[in-house]
Amino acid sequence: MASVTSLTAFVHQRLADALSAALPEAGSADPLLRRSDRADYQANGILALAKKAKANPRELAAKVVDALPADDDTIKDVEVSGPGFLNVTVTDKAITENLAARAADGERLGVPLAEHAGTTVVDWAQPNVAKEMHVGHLRNSVIGNSVVKILEFTGEKVVSRHHIGDWGTQFGMLVQYLIEHPDALGHQAADGTEQAGEEAMSGLNRVYKESKVLFDSDEEFKTRARRRVVDLQAGDPETLAIWQRFVDESKVYFYSVFNKLDVEIHDEDIVGESGYNDMLAETCQMLEESGVAVRSNGALCVFFDDVLGPDGNPSPLIVQKSDGGFGYAATDLSAIRDRVFNVKADTLLYVVDARQSLHFKMVFETARRAGWLTDDVKAVQLGFGTVLGKDGKPFKTREGETVRLIDLLDEAIDRASAIVREKAQDLSEEEIAERGAQVGIGAVKYADLSTSAVRDYKFDLDQMVSLNGDTSVYLQYAYARIQSILRKADDVSPKAHPELELADAERALGLHLDQFAETVAEVAQEYAPHKLAAYLYQLASLYTTFYDKCPVIKPKPPRDVAENRLFLCDITARTLHQGMALLGIRTPERL
């Protein structure tokens, strides 16, 4: 079905046309329309135009009102206010008809597909092989997952890339340690079966720490481990076989964590550092031959006028070290080549910690100088802040260790399950467990997504699972409450009645519902899930006011009023459900 023109867009166009008629020399002028608490909308653009045309703003505003069509059944009233503002009120009929058109558009709810959709590669969820996932892996997984869903919903072709840490010195160290200590992993569980997932990862993590201690303290082992890195990069079969085992076991573990986080990861999207190994030498050669990179003390470097080290000297991007080894930059630049020329992406989006912003600034600039990024292909880092504890410091355990992600999620699910059990009416234990997981994981995701990505945020489970305030639990309960109302409305079905007069709470809810499509478009353009979270929280708040002031079932209003209010309930629920789905959060039908 065709997309639905929002009332905002319609009123904006009407005023723009009237402005052009009243002041032809202004051409196509922007009336600067926004929602207002004095009317439905306020247009502020006339003041600047009047100043430019040396006209009286109030007189120009009056001319614009006169130029509006007299027989418009969308705009009810336009009033000139103050020094030349226009206060615009739309008709109740226009609100209801607009929502009816959205309701008829199925899951899309009138949200149009982007006019110029392209291909975006989103680099997100980047755990490391042979290391347990910790709280630092939460944000890129949650934000990345939501951005992928939002972009896909607007019609963009999205290719996920999970750039896992699976290559480099530490793997020479690990492989060498296992060859010298073949029983170190102790891969059988107490009952004699093979360990998998979390248990196997715990063993790998332990071996990683043991091998690191030896690597740092024993020069001879360090030498053997470095030789093993050369074997790995050269494709030695024994070395590769042990390395592959690490990768496979780590993936089983990653999938178990992502599954708990309710984030879908596909095997074909996991292209780790090793995936670009065969391109590294060629990337360096291309950069050196084109003069983008130069040799400095034996290393291949790219210099920038505006990037200086603490000593005031230029601080380069090192693509290849003086010993011939490749740095992260070589991998990241090879990944750009692959994504631009093989995947044919026109946008590269990196959901990566903001503390890496200087690295990516230099990588992107290098790729531009090399001609891989052009006016038609852009690279963007969606940098995110740090997860803090309640004390405002980086989140650690009492022992000062980084918090394991799986422990964090388990605690959130336990807390949420207790709340669901307390509130549950006629839910089985199985249902309580399922809802507890949906509410707990939703709480963690929403706390992250409702904060602007660039900001740090405090991980406070008490606040996250609260039924009051800006939490996913509040939104999930609003959705479940609407479903309960729809079930109880036995003999009445949701039906739009455009001829009815709307109460203030109905109008406020309807006008906010009308903004869903514009919100989604803005969120997709800015990669800003927190704006969608803010929209949904306001929607649930407006619904709560509507529910308090406009009886739907008890006391029972006249049938047409009841049907229209049920219709408002239904489209609110559908908008909440779709909006939460774009954030990657479940909305249980009963809570």
Side-chain angles (χ1 to χ4, degrees):
M1 185 173 165
S3 61
V4 180
T5 302
S6 72
L7 291 173
T8 310
F10 181 87
V11 172
H12 184 279
Q13 190 58 52
R14 276 278 194 266
L15 290 177
D17 292 345
L19 253 173
S20 297
L23 194 67
E25 61 269 34
S28 56
D30 186 349
L32 298 179
L33 189 71
R34 61 178 180 83
R35 286 296 310 280
S36 167
D37 52 5
R38 308 199 166 207
D40 294 334
Y41 301 99
Q42 189 172 73
N44 302 335
I46 289 168
L47 278 76
L49 284 170
K51 195 174 178 184
K52 208 171 168 185
K54 297 190 169 50
N56 179 308
R58 276 189 71 91
E59 284 175 13
L60 178 57
K63 279 185 184 175
V64 171
V65 174
D66 290 342
L68 285 167
D71 57 347
D72 197 323
D73 58 358
T74 297
I75 296 176
K76 180 182 178 182
D77 182 50
V78 184
E79 171 195 62
V80 178
S81 159
F85 300 129
L86 292 180
N87 289 336
V88 184
T89 305
V90 294
T91 63
D92 292 346
K93 182 182 180 212
I95 294 172
T96 307
E97 283 183 343
N98 180 282
L99 295 184
R102 292 189 183 285
D105 191 29
E107 285 185 353
R108 293 207 63 81
L109 296 164
V111 178
L113 294 168
E115 276 181 45
H116 305 292
T119 300
T120 298
V121 170
V122 184
D123 189 324
W124 62 286
Q126 307 109 347
N128 294 307
V129 165
K131 288 187 186 174
E132 288 179 296
M133 290 176 70
H134 54 77
V135 66
H137 293 112
L138 179 64
R139 299 207 73 185
N140 60 22
S141 304
V142 170
I143 296 168
N145 183 51
S146 176
V147 168
V148 166
K149 287 175 184 289
I150 290 162
L151 290 176
E152 285 179 338
F153 190 65
T154 62
E156 187 77 358
K157 181 188 174 189
V158 179
V159 178
S160 288
R161 280 289 175 266
H162 306 297
H163 192 89
I164 63 172
D166 66 350
W167 207 241
T169 307
Q170 67 265 42
F171 291 98
M173 176 185 83
L174 262 173
V175 171
Q176 190 61 34
Y177 187 84
L178 262 190
I179 287 172
E180 295 177 16
H181 304 83
D183 299 324
L185 275 177
H187 252 219
Q188 288 208 320
D191 60 2
T193 57
E194 279 287 300
Q195 291 178 345
E198 211 178 317
E199 278 184 280
M201 194 57 176
S202 194
L204 268 177
N205 207 51
R206 189 190 69 253
V207 168
Y208 178 85
K209 287 177 179 172
E210 289 168 4
S211 63
K212 183 80 172 78
V213 168
L214 192 61
F215 185 85
D216 290 340
S217 62
D218 184 334
E219 283 302 319
E220 288 181 5
F221 175 73
K222 185 181 277 189
T223 303
R224 294 195 297 278
R226 286 197 163 136
R227 275 205 300 269
R228 187 62 63 179
V229 178
V230 177
D231 294 340
L232 178 63
Q233 289 176 336
D236 170 62
E238 181 195 18
T239 308
L240 271 181
I242 298 173
W243 170 81
Q244 190 62 53
R245 185 176 156 198
F246 292 152
V247 174
D248 292 343
E249 289 195 355
S250 298
K251 279 188 186 177
V252 172
Y253 161 76
F254 298 156
Y255 288 138
S256 71
V257 179
F258 287 127
N259 193 39
K260 185 160 280 189
L261 190 55
D262 198 14
V263 164
E264 213 173 299
I265 303 284
H266 300 289
D267 207 58
E268 65 270 20
D269 296 333
I270 296 180
V271 184
E273 292 169 17
S274 63
Y276 305 102
N277 188 50
D278 294 344
M279 298 175 69
L280 302 181
E282 187 183 35
T283 295
C284 291
Q285 187 185 343
M286 291 168 84
L287 292 172
E288 192 168 10
E289 285 178 358
S290 63
V292 172
V294 294
R295 292 280 166 190
S296 175
N297 299 325
L300 186 63
C301 304
V302 183
F303 288 91
F304 306 87
D305 295 337
D306 58 343
V307 181
L308 303 175
D311 56 1
N313 292 322
S315 179
L317 181 71
I318 299 172
V319 185
Q320 189 176 22
K321 301 170 198 167
S322 54
D323 65 2
F326 299 104
Y328 285 123
T331 310
D332 286 331
L333 287 161
S334 298
I336 288 177
R337 283 177 55 212
D338 177 58
R339 293 165 187 186
V340 173
F341 300 109
N342 297 334
V343 182
K344 308 277 191 239
D346 34 49
T347 303
L348 309 180
L349 181 65
Y350 291 77
V351 187
V352 184
D353 193 315
R355 287 172 292 191
Q356 293 189 44
S357 60
L358 179 60
H359 169 78
F360 278 101
K361 179 186 170 186
M362 294 197 289
V363 165
F364 295 162
E365 177 56 29
T366 300
R368 267 191 285 275
R369 290 180 189 177
W372 305 333
L373 292 177
T374 62
D375 291 344
D376 298 325
V377 185
K378 64 174 180 173
V380 182
Q381 183 196 355
L382 176 49
F384 53 81
T386 307
V387 181
L388 308 174
K390 284 186 187 180
D391 58 2
K393 295 175 183 169
F395 202 13
K396 305 270 186 189
T397 62
R398 283 182 186 154
E399 295 74 40
E401 296 271 318
T402 308
V403 180
R404 294 194 325 159
L405 185 52
I406 204 89
D407 295 339
L408 201 93
L409 301 180
D410 284 339
E411 190 184 348
I413 290 169
D414 289 345
R415 292 279 195 94
S417 298
I419 287 171
V420 172
R421 176 174 277 107
E422 193 184 310
K423 290 269 181 187
Q425 296 169 347
D426 61 22
L427 288 182
S428 67
E429 277 301 311
E430 193 182 337
E431 287 171 323
I432 288 171
E434 183 196 16
R435 306 293 197 283
Q438 292 177 345
V439 171
I441 296 303
V444 170
K445 287 181 171 180
Y446 186 85
D448 192 317
L449 293 168
S450 58
T451 307
S452 169
V454 294
R455 287 177 50 206
D456 300 341
Y457 78 97
K458 288 183 184 176
F459 194 93
D460 181 351
L461 269 178
D462 294 328
Q463 173 57 31
M464 288 178 186
V465 297
S466 168
L467 292 167
N468 303 313
D470 189 3
T471 66
S472 73
V473 193
Y474 175 68
L475 298 179
Q476 286 169 323
Y477 267 98
Y479 177 79
R481 174 197 270 176
I482 299 173
Q483 294 307 320
S484 171
I485 290 168
L486 293 169
R487 284 193 297 274
K488 286 175 185 166
D490 312 318
D491 58 335
V492 185
S493 298
K495 186 182 175 187
H497 286 276
E499 73 284 356
L500 287 175
E501 199 174 305
L502 298 176
D504 288 347
E506 291 173 306
R507 286 180 60 83
L509 180 61
L511 285 166
H512 191 67
L513 285 163
D514 175 57
Q515 289 182 291
F516 182 57
E518 278 157 3
T519 302
V520 170
E522 184 183 347
V523 166
Q525 197 174 1
E526 297 177 16
Y527 312 122
H530 69 282
K531 291 192 172 181
L532 178 56
Y535 170 87
L536 294 171
Y537 174 61
Q538 197 181 348
L539 177 61
S541 304
L542 288 166
Y543 179 79
T544 301
T545 305
F546 157 79
Y547 179 77
D548 290 343
K549 297 192 171 175
C550 303
V552 181
I553 299 174
K554 287 180 185 174
K556 200 168 190 178
R559 188 175 187 90
D560 56 350
V561 174
E563 286 175 340
N564 201 56
R565 287 179 180 170
L566 267 184
F567 162 72
L568 285 171
C569 290
D570 183 53
I571 191 163
T572 300
R574 286 167 57 188
T575 306
L576 275 173
H577 173 77
Q578 184 56 267
M580 292 286 267
L582 294 177
L583 295 178
I585 298 174
R586 306 267 174 189
T587 39
E589 300 284 310
R590 294 171 191 262
L591 275 174

